[in-house]
Amino acid sequence: MNETLRRLLEEGIERAAFPAAQACVFRDGAPLGCASAGRTARAGAPVTGSTRFDVASLTKVMATTTAAYVLVSGGALRLDDPVSRFFPAFAEGARARITVRHLLAHTSGLPAWRPLFAGLLRHPELRALYPGAAASQPVLLPAATVEAKRRALWQRARTYVVEAAATTPLETEPGRVCVYSDPGFILLGEIVAACAGMPLDRFCAAWVFSPLGLESTGFRPLPAPAADPAAFAATGRTRPRAPARGQEGLYEIPPQRERDQVGEVDDDNCWAMGGVSGHAGLFSTAEDVARWGEAIRAEREGARRLGDPEVLATFLALDPHPEGPPRALGFDVPSGPASSAGRLLGRAGPQGARGHLAFTGCSVWIDFDRRLTVALLTNRVYPNRANEAGIRAFRPAFHDAVIDALAGD
């Protein structure tokens, strides 16, 4: 399986689907194969199994959803808690009906995405966080003072983004339509932190990643120490990043010298929050992502390393929303012939599959009938976000090839 995975990743690089990738396949809690290909950046080191990738929206399922499962199992959080318990902006009108369950199912009525960070670029003080927009620092200030000021700016920026998410107008009635929502998971991450009594990154490290032995998985709070360029796959060269398709004209990029921002989260809303959010910010390896998937499968079967399997069954069940694609609570579901999971994964029996995708080109799928987890990590957004068609074509073909290879063993 190692050679099959390596060949598939190299083919993806040859077809310009992404510049670098890792993949790992686990069955029954043990690795069947892992592979890496490409370089960490244009002139970077070869990618290895220990290279960490920005897994973007896998944060939603590996960190925020799993943390919510832990808290619901322990009674600190309830799925039907109103969001207004945590955010006064949800106290009136249709917003008062929104619950934690709606946020997990992406049925809150909040929009898919907003450039919540954009106002920071015009803020007289907070714009200093951005290259090209920063006022010059007095050179006589001690380094510790400069760092303390920058940390204070990031905390204020975080508050700004969270408040912007909390006051974002609804686009649909709560509970009616499934619209995948970053603002919803930004709020959910803050709710998890409030119920845990500690920041999201610390709770996930102590109650999710450490118990599961995910030693290469974690957030990178900003300002972070300088990262080893060989340890991370690069994702972009400007801040903010260039707009993705459909986001053109919503914000401007200050003039700046482009550079590989190693170990910094790609997502601009998360970056403005200091690198820790419920919707993005996690870095990991394909092996750790696959181990997480196998841990979720084991939890479903009664492992109880994190929580109550009956609670997890509720998370994994299909949400009954009347409109939009099928989803579980926090988990994606393969649907239709165009699914990124391909034609075969999750279709071997009645239990199906659950997983998630990520904007940076990552994915994880847990096939419960095959007792299998497939993790694919890429940095398809490097050096820019223009390449969407390549990863869309690669993912289903990759998953079909993995299942075909397993069937031939």
Side-chain angles (χ1 to χ4, degrees):
M1 178 55 70
N2 288 351
E3 289 305 315
T4 297
L5 293 175
R6 183 174 295 108
R7 173 180 55 80
L8 291 170
L9 298 184
E10 290 174 349
E11 288 176 358
I13 292 173
E14 290 172 2
R15 296 173 183 175
F18 42 76
Q22 287 175 346
C24 203
V25 178
F26 270 56
R27 177 189 282 159
D28 284 324
L32 292 179
C34 294
S36 307
R39 291 184 172 274
T40 57
R42 286 170 172 168
V47 171
T48 69
S50 62
T51 303
R52 296 173 67 188
F53 282 70
D54 179 343
V55 299
S57 283
L58 296 196
T59 304
K60 292 183 175 74
V61 67
M62 291 181 66
T64 312
T65 297
T66 308
Y69 158 55
V70 172
L71 292 170
V72 172
S73 295
L77 176 66
R78 295 175 300 176
L79 291 175
D80 293 321
D81 279 342
V83 174
S84 60
R85 171 187 164 193
F86 307 94
F87 292 99
F90 283 78
E92 297 181 357
R95 301 168 76 84
R97 303 199 303 272
I98 299 174
T99 65
V100 169
R101 187 187 301 269
H102 288 133
L103 296 181
L104 281 160
H106 295 279
T107 57
S108 66
L110 288 165
W113 182 85
R114 288 290 185 273
L116 305 175
F117 64 90
L120 301 176
L121 294 165
R122 301 183 296 273
H123 193 282
E125 296 174 343
L126 298 179
R127 66 193 295 269
L129 289 171
Y130 289 87
S136 60
Q137 291 281 1
V139 295
L140 297 180
L141 283 178
T145 302
V146 173
E147 181 176 350
K149 286 179 174 289
R150 194 160 180 80
R151 288 186 184 279
L153 284 178
W154 243 302
Q155 186 56 52
R156 290 172 59 194
R158 179 183 186 85
T159 299
Y160 181 101
V161 172
V162 172
E163 289 181 353
T167 55
T168 298
L170 302 186
E171 291 189 338
T172 59
E173 284 292 309
R176 183 170 66 85
V177 185
C178 177
V179 175
Y180 181 82
S181 174
D182 273 8
F185 259 74
I186 288 174
L187 299 178
L188 185 59
E190 300 305 293
I191 290 171
V192 165
C195 291
M198 66 181 74
L200 177 66
D201 57 328
R202 286 172 47 197
F203 182 76
C204 289
W207 290 84
V208 179
F209 308 144
S210 180
L212 300 183
L214 307 184
E215 297 180 356
S216 297
T217 301
F219 292 87
R220 292 270 299 170
L222 297 167
D228 178 0
F232 294 86
T235 56
R237 296 178 57 80
T238 64
R239 186 65 66 187
R241 303 292 200 242
R245 187 178 63 175
Q247 301 173 2
E248 298 87 353
L250 296 181
Y251 59 92
E252 295 183 359
I253 302 174
Q256 60 195 271
R257 179 177 63 85
E258 291 192 14
R259 63 178 181 86
D260 291 333
Q261 297 156 352
V262 177
E264 286 189 8
V265 63
D266 180 73
D267 182 275
D268 284 306
N269 283 328
C270 182
W271 187 88
M273 293 174 67
V276 178
S277 178
H279 77 294
L282 207 60
F283 288 80
S284 191
T285 63
E287 181 173 349
D288 264 16
V289 173
R291 287 188 186 279
W292 168 85
E294 286 295 276
I296 292 297
R297 185 186 55 75
E299 285 290 298
R300 184 176 181 268
E301 297 173 358
R304 294 182 179 271
R305 296 170 71 186
L306 300 176
D308 184 340
E310 292 186 3
V311 171
L312 183 58
T314 300
F315 275 70
L316 294 171
L318 291 178
D319 183 75
H321 52 267
E323 297 181 38
R327 289 198 78 91
L329 298 186
F331 292 84
D332 197 359
V333 180
S335 59
S339 170
S340 75
R343 299 175 293 103
L344 306 172
L345 201 151
R347 306 176 199 277
Q351 299 180 81
R354 299 291 184 267
H356 215 281
L357 306 182
F359 182 74
T360 50
C362 304
S363 64
V364 59
W365 289 105
I366 310 164
D367 189 319
F368 293 108
D369 296 290
R370 290 188 172 92
R371 302 177 62 81
L372 186 78
T373 297
V374 182
L376 169 67
L377 306 188
T378 85
N379 62 340
R380 71 95 191 162
V381 294
Y382 180 79
N384 58 61
R385 295 172 165 179
N387 181 16
E388 291 187 19
I391 193 65
R392 289 181 184 274
F394 179 82
R395 277 178 175 142
F398 169 81
H399 291 116
D400 286 348
V402 167
I403 300 301
D404 284 339
L406 292 174
D409 287 347

